[in-house]
Amino acid sequence: MSTTAINHPAAGDHVRIFDTTLRDGEQAPGFSMTPTQKVELAQLLAAMHVDVIEAGFAAASPGDAAAVTEIAREIEGPTLCSLSRASIGDIDAAAEALSPARRKRIHIFLATSPIHREAKLRMSRLEVLKAIETALSHAAECFDEVEFSAEDALRTEDDFLTEAMACAATHGADVLNVPDTVGVSEPGEIRRVFERLMREVERPEHVIFSAHCHNDLGLAVSNSLAAVQAGARQVECAINGIGERAGNCSLEELVMALNVRPDIFPAATRVDTTQLWPASQKLMRLTGAPVAPNKAIVGKNAFAHEAGIHQHGMIADRRTYEIMTPESVGAPGSELVLGKHSGKHALNQRLAQLGYQPDPERLNEVFREFKRLADDHGEVTDADLVSLMEGYSESGSAWQVMRTELRTTAGPRPKQFARVELSHPDRGRVSDIASGEGPVAAAFAAVQRITGRKADVIGLETKMLRSQTGREFVAEIEVDLEGQRVRGRARGPDVVTAAIDSLLFAFERQPAPHTPQQTAQPAVM
Ligand code: KIV
Ligand code: ZN
């Protein structure tokens, strides 16, 4: 048990931000990240000054444990945390995974509600209390901070929730977390629950309460704010609100609500709000899961003013329709255009807004490429910068698209065919023909026949860019290649060429496990 960070005199009465993007967020379908990607995101969370990063669930798998260790090794600043069941094995796995961390926290959870006790755990109330005592007593020896979560707290009997929390506090918990695991509560109820726990749970003075709200009814942020009003001094949340099912409390929405309305919320966070937009952008890129355009704080329309009457008001005084500035959350100002007259400082600033932190050497390299691009295209877009940073290019693959022909048959049930010709330094020119549901699908099928690679397309986005030399297209693809999710991005003179190139680039990023031509019988021209 700690009496330092949680109760440190310098800690004051601020609301601690416990980020669970890499644990509750990452465990949701479609949001998995590699250890390297997790470290990249954790770096942004550290730059944002979140108080705690829940880096994973060490006992869940060797991969999870390795990612927790990697983050613990690389990240300085926030306390680093691993989730753990109330079992000695889990606690020891968390201690080992977190061993390189400067400051370590364990987050032990055990369900307390009747439905979980009876249907899942098959434990009596007494057995649950005993398990809390055993687990927390063991953990108190190995960590700087101990957190206990009463899973499904909001559906737990009042008297038993108080008893379980008091038991955890007696046996070394520094933080008592009250999860609305199934997202069933509402602000009035959650406020009453926190007020009651604050009154009734006997605990050492430094112990704080924490909220962990799920968004099944779209109330996770409101519920977390109500908990803060009732005295909670930690909120568990995730970038873009990702998490199990409908997600967790959105970090950026919670932080900005506390920031914009200090008159009604009694405590502030230590978050550098200008890092919110970059972190959101980074997460979208890493997971391939975009937020809705109208998403609060980080959606692309969050600061757009289209209606004439609004634009008029904005020109007269931004405060007519703006309760916070885009700059305050690190969103790019609408006027910022990067071109050949832009300097390195402007480029670096824009890269930071996109979630990149290049070292000086890498920045110089990218700056040279940026100038070349600006000369060719005039304006350099965000998409171009992402391409530069990620190393995507038109020639990212050894294969080159030489020609595509698309055909649709006539009649009541038309079919689409594509003939694609590719060129390869070793294999020369190869072409094949295939059908598919739509011209791009047919082209992809032909490419798979030529290259012998099998790809399941998860998503494809195309965009037209205007350049000084005319129009060009950018395609961004996400594919499943032999069980691995891979993304590719490329430019091209038309949509189909850009799409084919993006697929070829994805192949390049994830080489085939066997030889490249296992099944295909392409026609050689
Ligand atoms: O939702 C939940 O109850 C959790 C716990 C592990 C805290 O994520
Ligand atoms: Zn949760």
Side-chain angles (χ1 to χ4, degrees):
M1 172 174 91
S2 145
T3 48
T4 51
I6 302 293
N7 196 29
H8 193 283
D13 195 33
H14 76 286
V15 176
R16 284 79 171 163
I17 295 296
F18 176 108
D19 179 90
T20 189
T21 311
L22 298 173
R23 198 280 296 171
D24 209 320
E26 205 259 350
Q27 79 192 37
F31 291 99
S32 59
M33 287 174 249
T34 65
T36 314
Q37 290 176 326
K38 289 184 188 176
V39 171
E40 279 180 40
L41 195 67
Q43 272 156 348
L44 285 188
L45 294 169
M48 189 191 287
H49 303 314
V50 304
D51 298 272
V52 185
I53 296 177
E54 189 166 41
F57 182 177
S61 72
D64 253 50
V68 171
T69 302
E70 196 59 24
I71 293 168
R73 201 174 282 134
E74 296 293 323
I75 302 299
E76 280 182 47
T79 296
L80 297 176
C81 174
S82 169
L83 185 68
S84 166
R85 284 166 297 200
S87 90
I88 305 296
D90 272 29
I91 295 167
D92 291 345
E96 192 179 334
L98 283 172
S99 58
R102 283 89 181 152
R103 192 162 183 86
K104 321 176 202 344
R105 177 184 296 192
I106 186 147
H107 176 188
I108 299 173
F109 72 99
L110 185 61
T112 49
S113 66
I115 176 78
H116 279 246
R117 289 194 318 259
E118 285 151 27
K120 183 179 86 176
L121 300 174
R122 297 183 190 283
M123 283 166 91
S124 67
R125 283 185 176 201
L126 203 62
E127 285 168 323
V128 169
L129 294 177
K130 193 78 207 115
I132 295 173
E133 178 182 338
T134 310
L136 270 82
S137 306
H138 182 71
E141 304 303 314
C142 333
F143 298 86
D144 301 304
E145 299 169 14
V146 176
E147 170 169 336
F148 172 70
S149 274
E151 192 187 8
D152 206 14
L154 266 290
R155 293 192 298 172
T156 300
E157 307 92 326
D158 286 356
D159 63 331
F160 186 57
L161 184 59
T162 305
E163 209 177 343
M165 289 299 189
C167 172
T170 304
H171 293 97
D174 302 289
V175 180
L176 298 174
N177 186 40
V178 185
D180 180 13
T181 302
V182 292
V184 72
S185 197
E186 58 82 36
E189 179 186 55
I190 220 160
R191 189 178 291 110
R192 286 191 294 279
V193 168
F194 272 87
E195 282 168 352
R196 191 179 58 70
L197 290 172
M198 303 269 308
R199 259 194 331 269
E200 292 180 2
V201 175
E202 283 190 36
R203 61 198 187 276
E205 208 190 327
H206 76 279
V207 173
I208 57 170
F209 279 97
S210 163
H212 176 113
C213 298
H214 278 272
N215 204 32
D216 300 67
L217 294 174
L219 292 171
V221 175
S222 304
N223 288 345
S224 304
L225 289 168
V228 170
Q229 284 178 318
R233 284 298 172 266
Q234 175 178 284
V235 175
E236 305 198 349
C237 40
I239 302 289
N240 296 343
I242 70 170
E244 281 283 2
R245 306 182 309 280
N248 281 93
C249 170
S250 144
L251 185 152
E252 56 281 357
E253 292 176 23
L254 177 101
V255 166
M256 289 315 289
L258 294 174
N259 199 285
V260 168
R261 296 304 305 270
D263 53 328
I264 45 175
F265 298 118
T269 71
R270 289 181 167 164
V271 164
D272 173 357
T273 59
T274 63
Q275 299 299 319
L276 295 173
W277 182 278
S280 164
Q281 293 279 311
K282 179 99 188 176
L283 180 64
M284 286 192 258
R285 268 202 311 281
L286 292 179
T287 59
V291 297
N294 62 331
K295 160 86 172 68
I297 319 295
V298 292
K300 84 174 165 47
N301 293 352
F303 296 96
H305 301 272
E306 174 106 24
I309 194 162
H310 285 209
Q311 288 186 345
H312 181 164
M314 285 290 290
I315 290 164
D317 185 334
R318 287 171 76 158
R319 289 169 302 174
T320 49
Y321 288 103
E322 213 169 68
I323 59 165
M324 60 197 146
T325 62
E327 295 78 20
S328 68
V329 303
S334 44
E335 318 71 12
L336 188 69
V337 172
L338 286 178
K340 62 181 175 184
H341 301 299
S342 306
K344 205 185 290 178
H345 182 72
L347 171 67
N348 200 24
Q349 204 178 21
R350 194 77 194 87
L351 290 174
Q353 283 161 344
L354 290 167
Y356 294 106
Q357 300 169 311
D359 61 28
E361 201 181 322
R362 178 82 181 113
L363 180 63
N364 283 337
E365 218 174 86
V366 173
F367 188 58
R368 279 194 296 277
E369 282 293 294
F370 161 78
K371 284 285 181 184
R372 191 189 56 72
L373 211 62
D375 274 341
D376 287 353
H377 299 284
E379 188 179 324
V380 178
T381 64
D382 285 357
D384 295 324
L385 294 182
V386 173
S387 299
L388 287 183
M389 291 306 293
E390 305 287 337
Y392 307 156
S393 73
E394 294 111 303
S395 53
S397 165
W399 287 104
Q400 266 204 311
V401 185
M402 304 308 291
R403 192 150 42 124
T404 52
E405 284 170 35
L406 306 173
R407 257 182 247 145
T408 304
T409 56
R413 295 177 61 196
K415 286 188 87 176
Q416 268 92 22
F417 293 90
R419 172 182 282 279
V420 177
E421 184 186 341
L422 302 180
S423 159
H424 188 275
D426 302 328
R427 296 182 53 201
R429 288 184 170 213
V430 188
S431 84
D432 211 325
I433 190 163
S435 64
E437 284 180 14
V440 176
F444 283 170
V447 168
Q448 292 181 57
R449 288 173 64 83
I450 295 171
T451 58
R453 299 290 304 269
K454 171 99 191 65
D456 282 328
V457 179
I458 299 166
L460 173 71
E461 268 182 48
T462 57
K463 190 168 145 190
M464 190 188 83
L465 299 177
R466 262 178 237 291
S467 71
Q468 278 177 348
T469 46
R471 302 177 324 167
E472 63 179 347
F473 294 81
V474 173
E476 184 152 358
I477 198 168
E478 184 170 8
V479 283
D480 184 315
L481 298 179
E482 295 97 15
Q484 291 283 329
R485 276 165 60 133
V486 186
R487 296 172 71 193
R489 195 165 193 290
R491 289 168 173 274
D494 58 77
V495 173
V496 179
T497 308
I500 293 176
D501 254 332
S502 69
L503 177 64
L504 291 170
F505 189 62
F507 288 160
E508 195 77 14
R509 297 183 98 191
Q510 175 73 29
H514 314 294
T515 60
Q517 296 158 53
Q518 310 133 28
T519 52
Q521 297 294 314
V524 179
M525 289 186 77

